[in-house]
Amino acid sequence: MTEISLAILGAGTFGLSTALAWRKTHPSARISLIDVKPSPLVRTEVNANNIIPASEDVGKIIRAAYASPEYAQLASEALEIWHSESPYRDYFHQSGWVVANELTEAEISITEGNPIGRERYEEAFPASSLDDGYVITEDTEPGWVEASKCLEAVLRVAMDQGIEYVSGEAVGLLWQESRCTGIKMRDGKEISAENIVLAMGPWTPGFLQKCGVAASIPCEVAGVTAVSVKLDENEYRTYKDMPILMIPGAGEIMPPDRNRIIKINNTTAFYAPDISSLKISTQENPYFEENMAMLRKFLPALSSVPVVVRRHCFDMVTTPAQDFVISAIPELEHLFVAAGGSFHGWKFLPNIGRYVVKMIEGTLHPPWTELWRIGGTPSEHPIHLEVMPRGSHATVDFRRRRVYCQPGNNNSPTINLTSFDHKSRLPRPGPSSHDVTSLAVFTMPHITRRLYTTATSSSPTSAISIASQFLATSQSLPPLKHTQLLDANQLHLLSATLSRPIPLPQGGTPLPACYHLAYFTPSQREQDLGRDGSDTTFNPPRPFTRRMWAGGELEWVAGKEKGLKIGQRVTETTRLVKAEGKRTRAGEEMVVVGVEKELENEFGVAVVDRRNWIFRPEIIVSKEPAHKPVEVPFPHGKYTREFTQTPVSLFRFSALTFNGHKIHYDKEWCRQIEGHRDIVVHGPLNLINMVDLWRDFNGGEVLPRKVTYRATSPLYGGEKYRIVMDEEKGKVTDVKIVDSYGQIGMVGQIESV
Ligand SMILES: Cc1cc2nc3c(=O)[nH]c(=O)nc-3n(C[C@H](O)[C@H](O)[C@H](O)COP(=O)(O)OP(=O)(O)OC[C@H]3O[C@@H](n4cnc5c(N)ncnc54)[C@H](O)[C@@H]3O)c2cc1C
């Protein structure tokens, strides 16, 4: 790995995480982390001066429950680290949370846990009582982290790893034409680096403006007020194990930290300050009285504890879904942004940097690229529904909530609030008129269901432009290389799966034509697979994520002697050679992606395998399962062979090829989501069976020179189909697969040597 230097402006959540992730991939690169905050080696008390960015805090909530599957996945990954890795786990407390919701049960838009009674509430919050009007729920999974303390510990780890911490205010950027080459500091110092990341939280848009960068990031800067109070020893003992208390429509009361400090957030007042000012976070708190009233109401025993901090703290919020901005800056080189924490970014301290690094290196995959790039497609699931300033010059009063807007900005979209079925935890269709607060919580299966059953997505971007951008990005990357042993066991198992059992093959046994399809299997982690379980290594950006195997051609360029054999170490090199936006006859847009794979043994390239996949838009509205057509007699041919694939044979083929695509084994998914009448037979399995029939009538171990094939219609498990093969004419044999209803599933031509 080349040692590419990196300068990161902002040592908050995003900046620090990025520095550590860059160190992992570039062990001896020069990394500078720049912040106006003093170095942890000299500061004694965080927040001692007026510089109090969002990352610095008494406590932050850590939760994995998100309505958006992308953020749910990201948060689960982070949570795992919060539980297991030092120093993160040393500051994390799995306290759970209790939600006191003023809405009636029927009205409750969000279920943040299981309903609990007054008794449990009073046990969790001693010496408190609650009016009858509240519905109370509890979830034990979330927790909180001692934010500033943890940030400081992580910063020390970074410095131990040789990351240079530069304390000072950045005032500009250095340029060589459109290439950003460094950062200019107020004291005149210049810090140059190969890549520059702006991770300045809410200061980012103002800084870019100041530097004369024309690109604008669609975002708002919004704020939350907080008060911290200090308990005495007795009070601390009483409340130290309390869960987080969430009061939708009002705010949160955090458990006390080890300094006996309780923080009360008031989430009813968001406004956009002057983004050009550095003092975005201030120690003023215009809603101080409201914060204190909340404490008096919910924890009356603490009514007169001394106040130690008043804050008004800001974050950069993107519109309309509070996605992060992790992106290159258009038309400028080597300049990137990682910001837009949108009041939920802190929990990703352990892992967000990995994604920033991938973005810089051009290896970040969808959906992240699309969610986070400047001008990308926002998530369908707003993270918090109340943080966005709405309208221009407007002061909106939703019940008890005030939302102030930055003057002059009338681009803030209105968020359609969706109401949720309390029992099923599923959204009710259609927008609701009432204001809802805080967090939408679903379990993962419901998330999937919702994604595939409601039509709320924004209109897809054109397939042609997505395809050309995707092609340009993919072709700028090096080809994927994968070396493996052609092991005997895999061939043995594949033969058994095809009902052509053989004894365990010896080294040197030739690999039958197309059997390489069971080697070089994809190796993505489950969380990186598509929602339909498919491998996403070559997926174009959303919405074109529904993959189908369309066809291709294979050439055995080295012939039989120098061909692939058991026991060889073979390298597969894969290049993306094509991405084209197209339309089906019915007018549906799609992206056709072509890859070329070369399989190379000790003699050189033995097989070239070019294959095409069609990527259709992801399913927004589930399709009705198709009915079985009327059976018709099979066509005749010179050679024929019939198959009925069982769920077991398809499962075994999926397992052998490490293929998680649900269409091959999940009948419910096939019928209820994708509109297939049953599980779908794998394209490669059909190809192998077709070529096997040809082999069987051409002397067994023979290799063809070339095979071309096209999948024309799905073939289904449990349904009989027939391979029909003609007589060879001029070295070419036509083959097709026809189902019991007269539908052609695949056509191919096999050319002999
Ligand atoms: C009140 C509040 C409560 C929140 N609660 C939670 C929660 O419970 N859970 C959760 O997950 N998230 C929460 N968040 C969100 C989370 O805190 C933020 O999303 C996250 O910390 C943002 O990190 P950042 O690195 O983008 O920005 P910041 O933390 O703002 O860091 C930016 C850094 O850039 C530096 N900087 C800016 N300009 C310059 C300059 N010119 N020169 C040098 N340095 C500069 C600043 O000093 C700062 O350190 C909350 C946010 C707020 C405001």
Side-chain angles (χ1 to χ4, degrees):
M1 180 64 68
T2 39
E3 293 306 339
I4 302 168
S5 59
L6 184 72
I8 305 158
L9 184 42
T13 319
F14 283 69
L16 179 54
S17 187
T18 302
L20 281 165
W22 195 262
R23 171 56 75 233
K24 265 217 167 103
T25 50
H26 300 78
S28 50
R30 182 167 52 80
I31 304 172
S32 311
L33 189 56
I34 302 145
D35 204 294
V36 74
K37 295 181 294 190
S39 148
L41 302 184
V42 297
R43 64 184 155 152
T44 46
E45 183 75 28
V46 188
N47 297 349
N49 55 26
N50 212 21
I51 306 155
I52 38 178
S55 300
E56 301 282 2
D57 209 339
V58 183
K60 296 287 194 200
I61 298 170
I62 308 291
R63 59 168 162 128
Y66 272 89
S68 143
E70 290 84 15
Y71 291 102
Q73 178 188 321
L74 201 66
S76 305
E77 192 181 279
L79 197 63
E80 227 176 282
I81 302 173
W82 283 115
H83 277 289
S84 60
E85 282 182 29
S86 193
Y88 304 100
R89 64 167 182 227
D90 310 333
Y91 299 92
F92 175 63
H93 306 269
Q94 192 184 347
S95 60
W97 70 33
V98 166
V99 184
N101 208 318
E102 220 181 344
L103 302 170
T104 65
E105 192 148 346
E107 263 187 310
I108 277 193
S109 50
I110 306 131
T111 53
E112 289 110 345
N114 301 315
I116 54 167
R118 305 275 139 170
E119 231 168 74
R120 167 66 194 131
Y121 180 84
E122 282 156 27
E123 178 197 7
F125 306 104
S128 64
S129 64
L130 201 57
D131 303 345
D132 283 344
Y134 286 89
V135 174
I136 320 168
T137 55
E138 180 171 29
D139 186 344
T140 53
E141 195 207 30
W144 65 282
V145 64
E146 294 168 83
S148 281
K149 288 195 176 71
C150 179
L151 199 75
E152 182 161 339
V154 178
L155 198 47
R156 283 175 188 275
V157 170
M159 292 168 78
D160 287 347
Q161 294 184 7
I163 292 165
E164 177 198 24
Y165 188 87
V166 181
S167 178
E169 185 188 349
V171 291
L173 295 170
L174 304 170
W175 301 98
Q176 256 173 19
E177 296 178 350
S178 60
R179 179 190 175 141
C180 185
T181 57
I183 295 165
K184 207 170 3 175
M185 304 298 291
R186 184 167 291 289
D187 62 8
K189 193 171 169 188
E190 294 189 344
I191 298 160
S192 55
E194 185 79 14
N195 290 318
I196 315 294
V197 177
L198 303 183
M200 306 160 76
W203 291 273
T204 312
F207 184 77
L208 278 171
Q209 218 174 357
K210 215 157 68 179
C211 294
V213 171
S216 65
I217 303 173
C219 69
E220 304 281 353
V221 174
V224 162
T225 63
V227 164
S228 296
V229 295
K230 184 152 185 166
L231 311 191
D232 65 24
E233 290 289 353
N234 274 338
E235 290 160 340
Y236 178 67
R237 266 195 297 279
T238 311
Y239 290 99
K240 74 178 172 36
D241 297 322
M242 72 180 238
I244 301 159
L245 176 56
M246 316 261 294
I247 308 122
E252 300 115 25
I253 302 180
M254 304 290 286
D257 73 352
R258 54 188 105 177
N259 291 337
R260 311 198 304 267
I261 291 180
I262 279 189
K263 182 183 76 157
I264 305 120
N265 272 339
N266 177 338
T267 53
T268 67
F270 294 93
Y271 80 78
D274 172 10
I275 56 173
S276 62
S277 152
L278 189 64
K279 288 184 180 168
I280 280 175
S281 297
T282 71
Q283 289 188 28
E284 295 149 22
N285 178 345
Y287 304 106
F288 171 71
E289 262 317 314
E290 284 191 18
N291 287 56
M292 294 309 290
M294 189 157 60
L295 183 68
R296 284 194 293 274
K297 178 168 178 180
F298 291 94
L299 298 180
L302 302 180
S303 291
S304 49
V305 289
V307 172
V308 285
V309 172
R310 299 173 184 206
R311 268 185 93 176
H312 202 170
C313 187
F314 297 89
D315 206 356
M316 179 173 137
V317 185
T318 60
T319 52
Q322 302 114 56
D323 294 303
F324 306 146
V325 182
I326 296 179
S327 174
I329 298 196
E331 295 178 22
L332 299 175
E333 293 156 54
H334 296 263
L335 183 62
F336 305 90
V337 177
S342 303
F343 295 94
H344 69 110
W346 210 97
K347 65 187 67 62
F348 302 108
L349 174 68
N351 63 334
I352 196 67
R354 294 178 199 166
Y355 294 80
V356 181
V357 169
K358 284 188 181 176
M359 178 275 296
I360 297 171
E361 295 187 328
T363 55
L364 185 65
H365 283 298
W368 316 114
T369 35
E370 195 47 29
L371 277 183
W372 294 338
R373 77 179 164 81
I374 295 173
T377 312
S379 164
E380 285 177 33
H381 311 269
I383 309 301
H384 309 84
L385 296 175
E386 84 277 39
V387 295
M388 294 308 307
R390 289 162 229 202
S392 170
H393 302 275
T395 300
V396 186
D397 195 344
F398 293 102
R399 275 195 184 185
R400 295 173 294 122
R401 182 166 309 134
R402 289 181 297 274
V403 180
Y404 298 91
C405 287
Q406 189 182 352
N409 183 344
N410 53 9
N411 295 329
S412 304
T414 307
I415 296 167
N416 280 338
L417 304 175
T418 307
S419 65
F420 298 91
D421 183 314
H422 184 45
K423 284 209 176 65
S424 69
R425 300 177 125 205
L426 286 172
R428 295 188 192 110
S432 118
S433 58
H434 69 252
D435 193 8
V436 297
T437 189
S438 199
L439 322 162
V441 182
F442 300 101
T443 57
M444 287 304 282
H446 289 139
I447 292 167
T448 314
R449 183 109 195 96
R450 159 159 167 59
L451 267 174
Y452 282 89
T453 54
T454 55
T456 56
S457 78
S458 53
S459 59
T461 321
S462 120
I464 293 176
S465 67
I466 285 192
S468 68
Q469 278 169 26
F470 176 60
L471 185 65
T473 316
S474 307
Q475 289 192 329
S476 66
L477 302 173
L480 284 182
K481 282 192 184 280
H482 182 174
T483 299
Q484 78 161 114
L485 178 78
L486 294 187
D487 69 299
N489 196 44
Q490 189 76 350
L491 174 56
H492 185 55
L493 297 181
L494 176 60
S495 306
T497 305
L498 298 170
S499 298
R500 302 166 64 92
I502 52 167
L504 190 65
Q506 303 288 309
T509 304
L511 197 67
C514 295
Y515 280 39
H516 69 278
L517 292 167
Y519 292 86
F520 303 101
T521 56
S523 54
Q524 282 191 315
R525 299 175 311 168
E526 185 171 338
Q527 58 262 48
D528 298 328
L529 298 176
R531 289 175 190 137
D532 56 3
S534 63
D535 173 66
T536 57
T537 311
F538 292 100
N539 274 24
R542 281 174 76 191
F544 299 101
T545 55
R546 194 154 54 103
R547 194 184 76 182
M548 292 163 74
W549 183 293
E553 62 176 32
L554 300 114
E555 286 182 83
W556 284 264
V557 290
K560 197 171 157 195
E561 280 312 303
K562 296 181 177 174
L564 302 179
K565 299 198 175 62
I566 294 303
Q568 288 177 341
R569 283 193 76 74
V570 173
T571 298
E572 181 200 61
T573 304
T574 308
R575 292 180 187 83
L576 190 131
V577 291
K578 175 170 87 177
E580 290 171 359
K582 296 210 165 163
R583 246 175 223 285
T584 61
R585 257 178 260 145
E588 190 188 42
E589 290 203 298
M590 61 185 183
V591 174
V592 181
V593 172
V595 296
E596 183 178 87
K597 291 170 177 282
E598 284 180 346
L599 301 170
E600 206 174 337
N601 57 15
E602 68 264 38
F603 306 108
V605 176
V607 178
V608 181
D609 175 347
R610 300 181 192 94
R611 55 182 89 150
N612 292 326
W613 292 297
I614 288 174
F615 289 89
R616 295 213 141 98
E618 61 194 347
I619 293 176
I620 302 297
V621 180
S622 61
K623 298 179 192 281
E624 282 295 307
H627 292 295
K628 267 189 193 170
V630 180
E631 278 194 33
V632 296
F634 281 130
H636 298 290
K638 174 81 179 162
Y639 309 99
T640 61
R641 184 171 286 162
E642 270 138 44
F643 290 88
T644 307
Q645 303 293 354
T646 66
V648 174
S649 54
L650 296 191
F651 168 78
R652 297 210 315 174
F653 192 77
S654 288
L656 266 178
T657 52
F658 203 52
N659 180 352
H661 201 168
K662 291 181 189 170
I663 59 167
H664 303 304
Y665 57 87
D666 186 338
K667 189 164 175 171
E668 197 187 348
W669 173 274
C670 289
R671 290 183 59 79
Q672 293 186 10
I673 307 293
E674 300 227 15
H676 288 297
R677 56 180 183 256
D678 213 309
I679 50 177
V680 178
V681 181
H682 309 72
L685 178 57
N686 292 324
L687 175 64
I688 292 173
N689 280 325
M690 235 167 55
V691 176
D692 272 351
L693 180 66
W694 176 86
R695 281 200 304 128
D696 292 344
F697 289 98
N698 283 277
E701 283 195 2
V702 63
L703 282 179
R705 195 187 77 75
K706 185 173 174 181
V707 171
T708 54
Y709 64 100
R710 197 156 49 84
T712 47
S713 165
L715 293 158
Y716 293 109
E719 295 180 6
K720 198 189 238 183
Y721 60 88
R722 173 179 279 186
I723 302 181
V724 181
M725 190 169 83
D726 291 345
E727 193 82 72
E728 182 177 288
K729 285 186 199 127
K731 296 205 172 227
V732 176
T733 306
D734 285 324
V735 199
K736 64 184 174 192
I737 307 183
V738 186
D739 71 11
S740 308
Y741 318 98
Q743 193 77 35
I744 297 178
M746 185 172 272
V747 289
Q749 286 195 322
I750 305 173
E751 213 178 302
S752 54
V753 178

